[in-house]
């Protein structure tokens, strides 16, 4: 008799999931963290016979991580995952970070398509033309495939050239329009949209590529991934969105200044 099979104890109860929602989550191209957050929200809604739930990111992080200190460390990542799911219309929240969350009908989901970053040119190919997957400005690049499998360098893999970190970023490699497009896609509904770029914008962005903190060129080394993470973090900052005593809001010009980015990386702006 097989004894290592998990036996379902019906006395513990069950959380029912709508079949359409279940199948949509199975087929959705979500990140692992996004899927876990979605499951946590489902547990807190359907599991308690509620259509929506008012829950803090820290509480969800405690559901996902049990190690001491880990939930606190992951709270910001969970907050960004919630925001990503809202942007992709998997979840719905009418209001700010303290308002209830519910699921959108799967037919209305707008899941991001995968994108390919060309390492040698720092250009981005979108398949199709959609926004990139959510990343965070403090995440480190890893040597992995899109499926998360580690890639070991071998004789058939050409060595990637090492850039000269001491030299300025060549201007023809700075994706000005992609940066503007990311800003409008992520923040256009909350902050003033940027409809075009002038030479002052390009000069300011070029300057940010030489921002160096703790020995690293933090913008140059991550390219578009940095800007995507920055704009998503700004979307979680109440202060930058205008919830401050001056009713001041950030804009494209502000978020592309080297001085503002440095203050952001130093944690000077509160996150939701």
């Amino acid at each position: 008799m097989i004894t290592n099979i998990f036996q379902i104890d019906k006395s513990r109860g069950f959380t029912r999931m709508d079949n359409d929602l279940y199948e949509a989550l199975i087929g959705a191209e979500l990140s692992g963290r996004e899927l876990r957050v979605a499951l946590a929200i489902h547990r807190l809604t359907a599991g308690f016979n509620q259509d929506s739930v008012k829950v803090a990111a820290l509480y969800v992080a405690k559901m996902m991580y049990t190690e001491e200190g880990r939930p606190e460390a992951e709270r910001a990542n969970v907050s960004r995952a919630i925001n990503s799911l809202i942007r992709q219309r998997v979840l719905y929240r009418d209001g700010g970070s303290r308002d209830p969350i519910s699921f959108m009908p799967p037919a209305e989901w707008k899941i991001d398509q995968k994108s390919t970053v060309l390492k040698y040119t720092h250009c981005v190919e979108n398949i199709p033309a959609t926004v990139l997957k959510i990343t965070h400005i403090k995440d480190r690049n890893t040597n992995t495939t899109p499926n998360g499998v580690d890639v070991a360098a071998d004789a058939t893999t050409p060595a990637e050239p090492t850039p000269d970190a001491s030299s300025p970023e060549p201007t023809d490699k700075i994706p000005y329009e992609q940066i503007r497009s990311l800003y409008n896609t992520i923040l256009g509904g909350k902050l003033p949209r940027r409809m075009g770029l002038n030479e002052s914008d390009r000069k300011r962005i070029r300057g940010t590529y030489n921002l160096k903190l703790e020995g690293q060129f933090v913008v140059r080394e991550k390219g578009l991934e940095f800007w995507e993470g920055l704009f998503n973090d700004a979307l979680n900052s109440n202060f930058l969105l205008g919830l401050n005593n001056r009713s001041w809001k950030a804009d494209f010009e502000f978020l592309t200044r080297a001085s503002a980015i440095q203050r952001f990386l130093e944690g000077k702006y509160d996150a939701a």
Side-chain angles (χ1 to χ4, degrees):
M1 179 178 178
I2 300 177
T3 60
N4 61 347
I5 297 178
F6 180 78
Q7 299 295 320
I8 297 177
D9 184 353
K10 296 182 180 180
S11 66
R12 291 198 295 260
F14 295 88
T15 296
R16 293 183 177 182
M17 181 178 286
D18 177 86
N19 286 338
D20 287 346
L21 176 59
Y22 201 166
E23 293 171 5
L25 285 174
I26 292 172
E29 290 286 345
L30 300 175
S31 70
R33 182 180 290 118
E34 289 170 345
L35 180 58
R36 293 172 68 185
V37 167
L39 291 174
I41 297 300
H42 183 268
R43 177 70 182 92
L44 295 171
T45 52
F48 293 90
N49 295 318
Q50 301 292 325
D51 292 329
S52 62
V53 61
K54 187 175 181 181
V55 61
L58 180 58
Y59 186 87
V60 177
K62 288 179 178 178
M63 296 177 66
M64 296 168 57
Y65 307 100
T66 58
E67 303 94 324
E68 183 177 355
R70 183 81 183 276
E72 291 76 11
E74 295 286 348
R75 183 202 62 79
N77 289 331
V78 170
S79 179
R80 280 185 289 275
I82 292 173
N83 179 71
S84 173
L85 291 168
I86 292 172
R87 181 176 54 78
Q88 296 177 87
R89 297 182 62 81
V90 175
L91 299 178
Y92 174 77
R93 180 167 58 195
D94 184 12
S97 60
R98 305 184 191 282
D99 289 287
I101 302 174
S102 58
F103 275 93
M104 291 286 286
E108 298 186 26
W109 292 6
K110 302 294 182 184
I111 304 299
D112 294 343
Q113 300 296 311
K114 292 185 180 296
S115 62
T116 302
V117 178
L118 306 179
K119 293 182 179 179
Y120 294 95
T121 62
H122 295 283
C123 293
V124 172
E125 175 188 0
N126 289 328
I127 312 172
T130 56
V131 298
L132 305 176
K133 297 294 289 185
I134 294 297
T135 54
H136 180 241
I137 54 179
K138 296 180 181 177
D139 291 341
R140 292 185 177 274
N141 289 325
T142 55
N143 189 25
T144 59
T145 68
N147 294 324
V149 180
D150 289 338
V151 179
D154 54 31
T156 63
T157 304
E160 185 171 344
T162 302
D164 181 4
S166 62
S167 61
E169 181 75 1
T171 58
D172 60 348
K173 294 178 67 175
I174 298 178
Y176 301 103
E177 286 299 329
Q178 290 97 322
I179 294 170
R180 183 183 68 86
S181 178
L182 277 174
Y183 168 86
N184 284 337
T185 299
I186 296 170
L187 288 164
K190 298 288 186 179
L191 298 179
R193 296 180 63 85
R194 190 62 177 224
M195 304 311 296
L197 298 177
N198 54 40
E199 184 53 36
S200 295
D201 294 322
R202 293 182 177 87
K203 181 178 180 181
R204 185 175 59 256
I205 293 172
R206 284 196 297 269
T208 66
Y209 268 73
N210 293 319
L211 177 62
K212 189 174 184 179
L213 295 175
E214 297 182 350
Q216 291 185 318
F217 289 87
V218 292
V219 182
R220 186 194 310 180
E221 292 177 3
K222 298 180 78 66
L224 279 176
E225 182 184 354
F226 173 89
W227 294 103
E228 187 181 15
L230 173 71
F231 296 148
N232 275 291
D233 282 353
L235 193 59
N236 283 318
S237 172
N238 289 331
F239 180 83
L240 295 177
L241 295 181
L243 299 179
N244 52 68
N245 56 12
R246 295 181 292 150
S247 297
W248 169 87
K249 284 187 176 183
D251 56 15
F252 182 79
E253 179 180 349
F254 178 83
L255 289 174
T256 52
R257 292 178 189 168
S259 58
I261 290 173
Q262 180 171 347
R263 289 177 62 83
F264 200 102
L265 292 172
E266 292 171 349
K268 299 297 176 63
Y269 304 115
D270 68 313

